[in-house]
Amino acid sequence: KKTMMAEDNQCIGIIGFGDMGKLYAKKFRAAGYRVVACDLPEKYDQLKIHMEGSGIEILQDGFHVSRCSDFIFYSVEAENINKVVARFGPATKVGAVVAGQTSVKEPEIKAFEAHLPSDVHIMTCHSLHGPTIDTEGQALVVVKHRITDAKYKQVVDILAKSLKSQIVPLASYLEHDRITADTQAVTHLAFLSMGTAWKNSKIYPWKSQSYVGGIENVKVLMNMRIFSNKWHVYAGLAILNPSAQQQVRQYASSVTSLFTLMIQEKHDDLSSRLVQAGEWVFGNTTSPILLSDDLLDEFSLSQVPAAERKPNSHLSLLAMMDSWYQLKINPYDNLLCQTPLFRMWLGIVEYLFKNKEMFNASVEAAIHNKSLRSDDLEFCIAAREWATMINDSNFKGYRERFEETSAFFGPQLAEGHKMSVKMLQKLKEGIKKNTTTS
């Protein structure tokens, strides 16, 4: 069955054939479009063999892709976007539409404006999920920039038809970066800090009585999910996004402030601060996000019996709630641009606060359970160190810390990632069910 582009003899090009580039290329090809792609020159021969019979044409470089494509995706790391566009952008076919798939749009748009010819259309998009999540039903941000209404509509129609994603139009690339800072940068910081704290304490959380069951499963599995991915996915999003700096600093500050109240055993001060934050963030919500604690017990890497679980201070979650309050960020305002990870993260923070028995137990454990202090101290140190690396634009330190932590968890990452996919799917089904019945 021919599509509009096929009938017009038009072509979609992908520059950067990593995991997301491959995902997009396969989706476009499955929808019936002609697709050409390229990656680094040294990967050309291997990719030609690997993609043989797929219907996707592997070309030698970005010059070849740029010259023949009517719709071009740059699917490269944010830190490399300027260099790649500077090299291949001037060769872009007259009248073509160029878009980027980076997670940070300011450097991407600046690169397009600097290096693309004036007779080329510019827009941008961002699938708010990783390459292991199917595109259908997931959020896909699209932003007009320098493009006619007719061209923009044509491209959006192609994206909607091929990816079957939920199209989320935003007014500008700056709005995109602000929302991704709110929803992704700090969420990732929390999980990165957890992983590093566990590594430094030489704790495998699925073997500990403090990290078993319910929302603890979410923490562990989402952590495994992040550290099973590539470091640059998270580094570029945090370091190159100017909007992320304030949120990252505040989260580290909230962690430190709450931990200080814990070790000073100021129960009333800690409780009143958290209640005030929770009421501001969650006071007007009526529909809970998360599935039940019992249902989340299905997803666990642990063999520790439920009866042997120990209470947890949940410093990482309480600090997130406090951080939102301090910055006056309403996380529900950003649900239109949610990632599966952010939805899960917001869900467990909300669940902790709204479950008064669990919330009170968390505060009591934070003040009186001194066996948790070493874990919370390591988390506090890790959060401050990650925040410093991000604010110092330290890509080298970020990569080293990420890969050290990933290596510590080793083979367990694959199983954790697999289980996290099941958990996210269950959450998606639960949300659909709640929406249908409400």
Side-chain angles (χ1 to χ4, degrees), residues 162-267:
S162 303
L163 305 181
K164 297 182 173 58
S165 296
Q166 178 189 354
I167 303 296
V168 182
L170 293 182
S172 74
Y173 67 90
L174 294 175
E175 183 183 8
H176 167 276
D177 285 357
R178 179 189 61 77
I179 291 175
T180 54
D182 292 350
T183 58
Q184 295 188 59
V186 183
T187 303
H188 298 158
L189 174 62
F191 285 114
L192 293 169
S193 302
M194 278 182 228
T196 299
W198 288 329
K199 176 190 75 74
N200 290 342
S201 298
K202 295 181 171 52
I203 291 174
Y204 294 105
W206 53 89
K207 294 182 178 180
S208 170
Q209 294 170 320
S210 296
Y211 303 104
V212 179
I215 61 177
E216 296 297 349
N217 292 343
V218 177
K219 290 184 190 177
V220 173
L221 291 181
M222 295 302 106
N223 205 276
M224 297 299 100
R225 181 180 184 81
I226 284 178
F227 282 106
S228 68
N229 288 326
K230 296 173 181 175
W231 70 275
H232 65 75
V233 173
Y234 308 104
L237 190 148
I239 292 174
L240 296 176
N241 187 346
S243 300
Q245 306 297 314
Q246 183 184 22
Q247 285 90 328
V248 165
R249 284 193 298 270
Q250 180 57 57
Y251 183 74
S253 175
S254 289
V255 170
T256 303
S257 298
L258 296 182
F259 182 66
T260 300
L261 292 175
M262 290 175 184
I263 61 175
Q264 291 175 341
E265 299 186 5
K266 293 185 176 180
H267 182 284

Side-chain angles (χ1 to χ4, degrees), residues 383-403:
R384 291 165 67 95
E385 288 179 345
W386 277 107
T388 298
M389 279 189 289
I390 290 167
N391 282 291
D392 290 347
S393 300
N394 185 354
F395 277 99
K396 182 174 181 290
Y398 193 108
R399 179 175 187 172
E400 289 174 354
R401 180 65 54 85
F402 187 98
E403 292 181 343

Side-chain angles (χ1 to χ4, degrees), residues 24-269:
Y24 266 48
K26 288 176 180 178
K27 289 288 185 180
F28 288 134
R29 184 64 195 136
Y33 299 106
R34 182 192 172 203
V35 181
V36 298
C38 71
D39 205 89
L40 296 171
E42 57 267 28
K43 296 183 179 181
Y44 171 69
D45 292 333
Q46 182 183 356
L47 282 175
K48 283 277 285 186
I49 295 169
H50 180 68
M51 300 308 294
E52 188 174 356
S54 68
I56 298 167
E57 302 171 49
I58 302 299
L59 304 184
Q60 287 182 318
D61 55 36
F63 293 116
H64 289 78
V65 172
S66 296
R67 292 291 292 163
C68 71
S69 301
D70 301 279
F71 177 23
I72 302 167
F73 272 106
Y74 279 84
S75 187
V76 300
E77 298 93 334
E79 60 267 32
N80 294 328
I81 189 69
N82 187 68
K83 178 175 66 176
V84 176
V85 178
R87 175 163 185 169
F88 301 126
T92 304
K93 183 178 178 180
V94 173
V97 177
V98 176
Q101 236 291 57
T102 63
S103 53
V104 187
K105 295 306 177 187
E106 184 166 346
E108 177 187 294
I109 292 295
K110 286 183 176 178
F112 288 165
E113 289 178 337
H115 305 300
L116 292 177
S118 59
D119 53 15
V120 168
H121 300 274
I122 300 172
M123 63 172 289
T124 191
C125 64
H126 184 196
S127 286
L128 297 177
H129 58 86
T132 59
I133 300 285
D134 188 70
T135 58
E136 185 170 354
Q138 299 295 336
L140 171 63
V141 169
V142 293
V143 181
K144 290 179 70 174
H145 189 66
R146 194 182 77 193
I147 185 170
T148 64
D149 290 343
K151 282 283 189 183
Y152 177 72
K153 182 181 183 305
Q154 181 188 23
V155 173
V156 170
D157 287 346
I158 291 166
L159 288 167
K161 176 180 178 179
S162 303
L163 305 181
K164 297 182 173 58
S165 296
Q166 178 189 354
I167 303 296
V168 182
L170 293 182
S172 74
Y173 67 90
L174 294 175
E175 183 183 8
H176 167 276
D177 285 357
R178 179 189 61 77
I179 291 175
T180 54
D182 292 350
T183 58
Q184 295 188 59
V186 183
T187 303
H188 298 158
L189 174 62
F191 285 114
L192 293 169
S193 302
M194 278 182 228
T196 299
W198 288 329
K199 176 190 75 74
N200 290 342
S201 298
K202 295 181 171 52
I203 291 174
Y204 294 105
W206 53 89
K207 294 182 178 180
S208 170
Q209 294 170 320
S210 296
Y211 303 104
V212 179
I215 61 177
E216 296 297 349
N217 292 343
V218 177
K219 290 184 190 177
V220 173
L221 291 181
M222 295 302 106
N223 205 276
M224 297 299 100
R225 181 180 184 81
I226 284 178
F227 282 106
S228 68
N229 288 326
K230 296 173 181 175
W231 70 275
H232 65 75
V233 173
Y234 308 104
L237 190 148
I239 292 174
L240 296 176
N241 187 346
S243 300
Q245 306 297 314
Q246 183 184 22
Q247 285 90 328
V248 165
R249 284 193 298 270
Q250 180 57 57
Y251 183 74
S253 175
S254 289
V255 170
T256 303
S257 298
L258 296 182
F259 182 66
T260 300
L261 292 175
M262 290 175 184
I263 61 175
Q264 291 175 341
E265 299 186 5
K266 293 185 176 180
H267 182 284
D268 292 346
D269 290 349

